[in-house]
Amino acid sequence: MLGFRFSGNERALKIIFNLVFFVFIVLAVRYQIELLGFNAFEDEAETIVAAKMMASGQRLYSEIFNHHGPLTFLPGYFLEKFGSFGVSTHRIAIAVLQMGALASIYFSPLLINGFTRKAYTIAVAAILLLYIPDFFGNMYIYQVIAGLLIVIVLSQYTLPTIMCPESLSGRQVIFGNILIASLPFLAITYLPISILLFLSSLRNAVLTKSLVAFAGGVFVNIAFLVGIGSVAGFLAFHVYLNAEVLPLYSGAQSIFILIQNAFNAAVGSFRDFLIFALLILAISRMATSETGVPWRSFLIGLGIASLLIRGVEFHNLPYYYSFLAVSLVLFTGVRFVAFQAQLVILIFSMACIAKLSLLLPGDRQRLESSGIPVDTEFSRLVQEFTSKDDRIISYSFNNNEYIAADRLPASGHFFYLPWQEKYNENPKYGISINACREIVEYRPKVMLVNKWKVWGLFSWESYAGCVQSVLDKQYVQVPERPYYIRKDLLSGSMGLTSSLGSTIMKPSPELGASTPIKILMASEQQNEAAAIKRIGIMFGLYGRQNPGEAELHLRGPDGSEFIQRFALPYLGDNKYRYFDIDSKIYTEGEIVSVSGGGISAWESHSENGVAQTCVTYEYADGKRLFTSGCPFF
């Protein structure tokens, strides 16, 4: 009777666990979609901007500067052939690859028990979704691509080669070797693990197939490089510059220092030490399955260790991914899971579901508090001054601005850092991109130059003197902003430059029944002979919603008057409210209460006592005027 109850409980638990697994998959997919918009990273934007330039017809490494390997740009390049897309859309390829990695774990020959298969997949998916994104694991960067490819290779090909070689199919051998051959084309630093994975996976029975597939993978990647870029440029920028020029700034590192970096990264924290210990345990278990000297396990361990030589957390992503795959060997051959262990796993799985549900306090806020900047002040300034086909510059390293503005860079050096200038002092293999010359020839209408002191060590003047000379001669800087506009595009000052000196913003007196808000128009507007088509007034609401209505009253020098009523509850706090005007000349105005009040208009006050209401003006002839000292948008 007791045995019958126990068996019944197991059947019930199996049904419940299968239901939990299904719910987990649904929530995991939804969470993955949420991660498409989580967090921003300039390195990711760098990859996307380069892909956009490649899709426009420019050639990688000869016309576009980049450090990264060519395979990095493959997903973005093909996506951009179908349109111009933002960061979230580019991450879809990473999401698909991540689901492929999870599928490779779920269907790995190492897992033979259905319960173990589901439980291990849940654990790995929870880490990928809930933990690794804090280290940019949801992003379109080469470290993530490399890590996910290594997961697929290990779980479907290399580990089964050692633990259960009889389970391998010809398809796994071919696909595994193609992926292994592709790793160095993401970054040359993955050449060691590529070679070591290839050697540790070789079997006499499939030797020819392995060699042909590996050679085929190399050939396809070189063909892609030739098709979209330059082999000489790849050697110049990705190999020579990274190996010889960049160390002049980041510090030359000997073999001993690289080993020390790897060791410190492996045991630098309790988390890292725990991962390292589990990896040693897994590799030791793998070694016991080999007959004779366990050289295959040793090569795999050496290859994984090589992933830590950069010593920086997000560069270590492939190491963490490798850990998730190698740990599979700890569960190889498991055919039975005790009932009590199944209960513990069920509770763990339900806890993962609770985290993925985004119902727990702070979980959704965590995702929403760190979004991707899709609309910036600079991008809106670009929209005002440029057309879709115009190109811009965003230096030193502000690549997200190109994406937000939906504009391509005006130079192959779309970011600019000291080692790029240093390389040009002694270019190799006939490859050289001159940012200063390209900017002078193209003459972008708008540039953002924040003059980053790189790592707090290398000042803008030390590496961008030529670009600065162009700015000094041909551009006007917007006061208190790193924005530069070409001088010949300015009609007067447009409010972008000011003779008023420094300014501060203050709110006007609050609107009341007998206290209208006076619109203090800029002196440039009072002397302007052009008709106004549209104006924007920046209101302050004091963090509250104000009921009722008010009216905008404008008056012109010829006695003309314009009145427009608007509802106060629909105003945005510290935002411009735009009014379409009847295209006449107006030089003064006020906001009058109809049935509400409690709002203010923001004003710019100069050090010599001049006050101007924060107003943006759009004229019938297409010109713009901004109030000095106020936000543009």
Side-chain angles (χ1 to χ4, degrees):
M1 181 65 70
L2 291 175
F4 176 77
R5 286 181 190 164
F6 190 71
S7 177
N9 288 340
E10 283 190 327
R11 284 198 297 269
L13 182 61
K14 181 178 180 180
I15 293 172
I16 294 172
F17 186 69
N18 286 337
L19 178 61
V20 166
F21 184 68
F22 174 77
V23 173
F24 179 87
I25 291 174
V26 173
L27 292 179
V29 171
R30 188 191 72 161
Y31 200 91
Q32 181 69 73
I33 293 172
E34 295 283 346
L35 287 174
L36 296 178
F38 174 64
N39 215 346
F41 187 35
E42 292 294 348
D43 280 34
E44 178 184 35
E46 173 192 343
T47 301
I48 294 171
V49 173
K52 289 177 179 290
M53 296 172 74
M54 291 163 59
S56 74
Q58 292 178 266
R59 296 187 65 79
L60 185 64
Y61 305 129
S62 60
E63 297 174 311
I64 305 168
F65 172 82
N66 209 271
H67 298 87
H68 305 156
L71 185 58
T72 306
F73 307 101
L74 177 63
Y77 170 72
F78 281 114
L79 179 62
E80 288 294 323
K81 283 294 186 179
F82 296 95
S84 180
F85 299 99
V87 174
S88 296
T89 306
H90 278 272
R91 288 182 182 175
I92 292 175
I94 299 301
V96 172
L97 186 58
Q98 184 158 284
M99 287 186 282
L102 288 171
S104 72
I105 285 176
Y106 183 84
F107 292 107
S108 175
L110 301 181
L111 299 177
I112 59 177
N113 175 274
F115 192 92
T116 307
R117 190 185 302 277
K118 293 183 178 68
Y120 194 87
T121 303
I122 287 174
V124 171
I127 293 171
L128 291 180
L129 295 173
L130 299 172
Y131 182 71
I132 286 187
D134 288 336
F135 311 110
F136 313 131
N138 60 317
M139 296 185 181
Y140 174 29
I141 54 179
Y142 73 86
Q143 296 91 340
V144 173
I145 299 173
L148 293 172
L149 292 185
I150 290 172
V151 168
I152 296 172
V153 168
L154 288 172
S155 59
Q156 284 291 314
Y157 175 49
T158 300
L159 297 181
T161 294
I162 298 172
M163 304 295 292
C164 48
E166 70 284 351
S167 68
L168 285 178
S169 67
R171 181 178 56 191
Q172 288 170 294
V173 173
I174 294 172
F175 192 57
N177 278 286
I178 290 174
L179 294 186
I180 290 172
S182 298
L183 291 174
F185 292 92
L186 291 168
I188 198 67
T189 50
Y190 299 140
L191 182 60
I193 192 171
S194 176
I195 294 173
L196 294 170
L197 285 177
F198 174 71
L199 294 175
S200 63
S201 306
L202 276 181
R203 288 281 181 179
N204 287 331
V206 290
L207 181 61
T208 301
K209 193 173 292 185
S210 298
L211 291 171
V212 170
F214 187 87
V218 172
F219 174 80
V220 169
N221 277 281
I222 292 177
F224 176 66
L225 170 59
V226 171
I228 53 87
S230 162
V231 174
F234 171 76
L235 296 174
F237 289 152
H238 185 65
V239 180
Y240 171 77
L241 186 145
N242 279 333
E244 299 294 334
V245 181
L246 186 56
L248 299 176
Y249 298 89
S250 61
Q253 296 184 327
S254 64
I255 294 296
F256 175 76
I257 293 177
L258 293 177
I259 294 173
Q260 188 177 26
N261 287 342
F263 179 79
N264 291 338
V267 298
S269 67
F270 175 76
R271 177 205 68 201
D272 292 327
F273 180 78
L274 181 61
I275 291 173
F276 178 71
L278 290 172
L279 270 172
I280 294 297
L281 181 63
I283 292 172
S284 298
R285 166 75 190 280
M286 193 172 8
T288 61
S289 67
E290 294 190 65
T291 57
V293 178
W295 60 272
R296 296 178 190 273
S297 300
F298 175 76
L299 292 183
I300 291 175
L302 199 60
I304 293 173
S306 74
L307 298 173
L308 289 174
I309 59 175
R310 297 290 294 275
V312 181
E313 201 152 50
F314 78 90
H315 282 302
N316 296 342
L317 275 170
Y319 170 79
Y320 297 131
Y321 285 116
S322 299
F323 159 72
L324 297 176
V326 171
S327 297
L328 277 168
V329 303
L330 298 175
F331 302 91
T332 300
V334 174
R335 297 183 179 275
F336 174 77
V337 180
F339 181 76
Q340 293 82 356
Q342 292 185 31
L343 283 175
V344 173
I345 292 171
L346 177 62
I347 294 171
F348 168 77
S349 301
M350 294 177 72
C352 291
I353 285 177
K355 289 296 291 181
L356 292 177
S357 70
L358 297 175
L359 296 177
L360 296 179
D363 283 353
R364 180 166 289 281
Q365 182 183 6
R366 169 180 171 270
L367 291 181
E368 294 178 349
S369 64
S370 187
I372 300 168
V374 295
D375 182 40
T376 66
E377 184 180 62
F378 178 68
S379 72
R380 299 185 72 176
L381 185 68
V382 169
Q383 304 298 328
E384 294 286 341
F385 280 91
T386 69
S387 62
K388 184 68 174 66
D389 294 332
D390 286 326
R391 301 194 174 204
I392 63 173
I393 284 294
S394 182
Y395 284 167
S396 297
F397 198 68
N398 308 284
N399 303 309
N400 266 306
E401 294 289 356
Y402 294 109
I403 302 172
D406 194 22
R407 299 290 187 270
L408 291 175
S411 170
H413 285 291
F414 59 92
F415 58 92
Y416 207 65
L417 300 171
W419 39 92
Q420 293 162 251
E421 177 71 15
K422 185 68 176 178
Y423 168 85
N424 277 340
E425 293 177 5
N426 184 28
K428 298 296 181 181
Y429 316 121
I431 299 297
S432 178
I433 301 173
N434 189 312
C436 195
R437 184 177 65 238
E438 289 183 332
I439 291 171
V440 169
E441 291 176 353
Y442 188 84
R443 302 180 70 235
K445 295 177 180 177
V446 182
M447 293 199 285
L448 184 158
V449 181
N450 68 0
K451 302 180 183 180
W452 180 31
K453 187 175 184 179
V454 180
W455 304 333
L457 299 173
F458 309 104
S459 67
W460 166 259
E461 292 74 19
S462 70
Y463 64 91
C466 183
V467 175
Q468 183 60 48
S469 69
V470 175
L471 294 176
D472 294 339
K473 295 175 183 177
Q474 300 183 22
Y475 289 81
V476 171
Q477 181 177 3
V478 177
E480 302 177 3
R481 301 288 203 285
Y483 312 150
Y484 293 80
I485 300 171
R486 214 172 67 208
K487 289 180 179 179
D488 61 297
L489 299 177
L490 299 178
S491 175
S493 71
M494 294 185 68
L496 297 173
T497 59
S498 175
S499 60
L500 302 179
S502 62
T503 61
I504 59 172
M505 288 178 59
K506 298 179 180 180
S508 71
E510 292 186 25
L511 176 67
S514 59
T515 54
I517 297 175
K518 180 71 173 177
I519 298 177
L520 308 171
M521 292 192 174
S523 58
E524 294 93 339
Q525 163 58 23
Q526 293 174 339
N527 299 323
E528 180 60 57
I532 302 175
K533 182 174 68 174
R534 188 170 182 252
I535 68 169
I537 301 173
M538 187 178 186
F539 290 103
L541 309 183
Y542 302 96
R544 64 193 179 217
Q545 189 178 61
N546 299 276
E549 294 182 319
E551 286 182 344
L552 168 66
H553 289 222
L554 297 176
R555 289 178 292 275
D558 59 355
S560 58
E561 187 173 10
F562 175 85
I563 299 176
Q564 183 173 328
R565 184 169 295 192
F566 60 98
L568 301 185
Y570 297 102
L571 296 178
D573 197 10
N574 305 324
K575 296 183 182 299
Y576 283 97
R577 202 287 194 185
Y578 293 91
F579 300 86
D580 291 322
I581 311 301
D582 56 359
S583 294
K584 293 182 180 179
I585 299 173
Y586 296 104
T587 55
E588 59 180 312
E590 60 186 2
I591 304 293
V592 178
S593 172
V594 176
S595 59
I599 65 170
S600 292
W602 280 102
E603 298 172 348
S604 171
H605 290 251
S606 71
E607 56 188 4
N608 55 11
V610 177
Q612 300 175 339
T613 304
C614 289
V615 180
T616 66
Y617 307 86
E618 182 177 342
Y619 298 100
D621 62 1
K623 291 192 298 184
R624 302 283 193 278
L625 179 66
F626 304 93
T627 302
S628 297
C630 296
F632 297 144
F633 307 103

